[in-house]
Amino acid sequence: MPMKLLHVVGARPNFMKIAPVMAALAQHGARIEQLLVHTGQHYDANMSDLFFSDLQIKKPDYNLGIGSGSHAYQTGTGMMKIEEIVLKEKPDVLLVHGDTNATIAGALVGAKLKVPVAHVEAGLRQTPKDMPEEINRVVTDHVSRYLFCPTELAVKNLKGEGLTTGVFFTGVVMYDLFLSVRKEVSIEETCSRYCVRETEFFFATLHRDFNTDHPERLRNILEAFAEIAKHCPVILPIHPRTRKAIQSNGFEDYLHNLNVIDPIPYADTVALLSGAKCVITDSGGVQKEAYFAGTPALVMMEDTGWRELVEMGFNTLVDADKEKIITGALSEKPIGEITPGLFGNGDAGSRIAGIIAEAVERCSE
Ligand code: UD1
C-alpha cells in the first residue's frame, strides 16, 4: 500500500510552498500517494488558479469553497470540512504550509484525529504576537509532529519553546522555486512588458491587515509611495484586500502616479523583483524573495520573521513610517553581503520529501 499524504492549502503563499514539496514527493513514485485539499480561502483566478497552472500543481482533489470571512469562519468551517476528508481518506501524514488560516485549520484537525502533522516553514516568530499569522504559526508548531525549519534561527526559536523532537533544518522551499523560475525568466523582457527600465523602478506590495485595516497607516504608506513615484516609477500589484481598503477610505488619489496592476503571475514577480532598484513590501514571502534576487527591501512591518536579513543589513524595517519609507527608498545605502546556505541550498523540497518518506516507512514496519 502506498503511503498517503494529505496537503492542506488555501491562500496564495501556500501554493508557492507546495509546488517544490509536491514535486519532490512525486519523485518517490508509486510509494507515495498525494492528495491535495484547497480550502478556497483565495478564489480569484489571479490569486489561485493562475498559480496552479503556472507552477504545474495538480488540480486539488477537494476544493472546500470556503472563501472570505472572519478568522473564526475561515478556520472553523475549514476544520469541519477538512475533518470529513481526513476521516474518509485516513492519511498517514497531513502536511500544512506557512501561516495562513488553512494552515491552522489543517493542523488542528490532524492533531485531534491523531494523524501526524508536518509543518513546512516551522519556527518563524515575530511581534506583534497577536497578529493572525503569528497565532497560526505558534499553534501549528505546537501540534505538529514534524517541524521543517527554513533557517537555523527558526530551529532556535522552537528550542526556546521546548520543541526539539521532529525538528529539521531543511531550508526555504520558496528558494527552490525561486531558483528554478529565475532560470526561465528574462528580466529585460519582463521589465519592457511592464514599461520600466531595469534598476530604475521600485517594486511594491501591500496587503497585511495591520497596514490595510488602519487608515492612518495605509495613508502614510500611500503618501510615501506617491512621493517616491515622483522620482522613479513604483509598480504596485494590488491585493484585493488593499484595493477594497483604498476604496472604502477614499484614498484613490494617492494611486494616480503609481503603476497599479492586478496580482501578477509568479514568474513576473521573480523577474520584477530581480530587476527592481529596491523592493518595498509587507509580505513575508516577498521580503526574502528580494534577497534571493539580490535586491534590497524596505519591510513595512514593525518586526519580521526573517530577522536575519535585517541584521545582515540587507533589508530595513520601516514599519508604516512615511519618512522612513521615503528616505529608505531614495537614499543610496550599501547593502549587506549574500550569506551562502542561510536559506538552505535550494533542495528543501527534496529534503522534506526524504524525511517524510523515511519516517512514515519506519512507522509502518
Ligand atoms: C492571507 C494570509 C496571509 C498571506 C495572504 C497572502 C491568513 C490569516 N492570512 O491574507 O498570511 O500573506 O493571504 O495573500 O490566512 N480577497 C478577494 N479574493 C481572493 C482572496 C481575498 O477578494 O481571492 C479579499 C477579500 O475581501 C478578503 C480579503 O481579500 O476578505 C482578505 O483575504 P484573506 O484570505 O482573508 O486574507 P489575506 O489578506 O489574503
Side-chain angles (χ1 to χ4, degrees), residues 13 41-44 68 74 100-101 133 207 239-241 244:
Q41 177 175 343
H42 284 179
Y43 45 86
D44 286 350
S68 299
Q74 285 181 335
T100 67
N101 288 339
E133 290 80 7
H207 77 280
H239 188 289
R241 172 200 279 283
K244 285 174 194 163

Side-chain angles (χ1 to χ4, degrees), residues 280-330:
I280 313 175
T281 187
D282 60 6
S283 153
V286 172
Q287 64 187 267
K288 69 180 182 300
E289 285 164 334
Y291 170 79
F292 303 156
T295 307
L298 301 176
V299 178
M300 298 181 294
M301 296 176 157
E302 68 170 63
D303 185 20
T304 170
W306 306 99
R307 283 191 197 128
E308 301 90 335
L309 297 179
V310 176
E311 281 156 18
M312 285 158 61
F314 218 90
N315 290 351
T316 309
L317 290 173
V318 290
D319 203 7
D321 184 317
K322 181 179 153 188
E323 291 313 317
K324 280 191 187 163
I325 300 171
I326 296 171
T327 317
L330 299 181

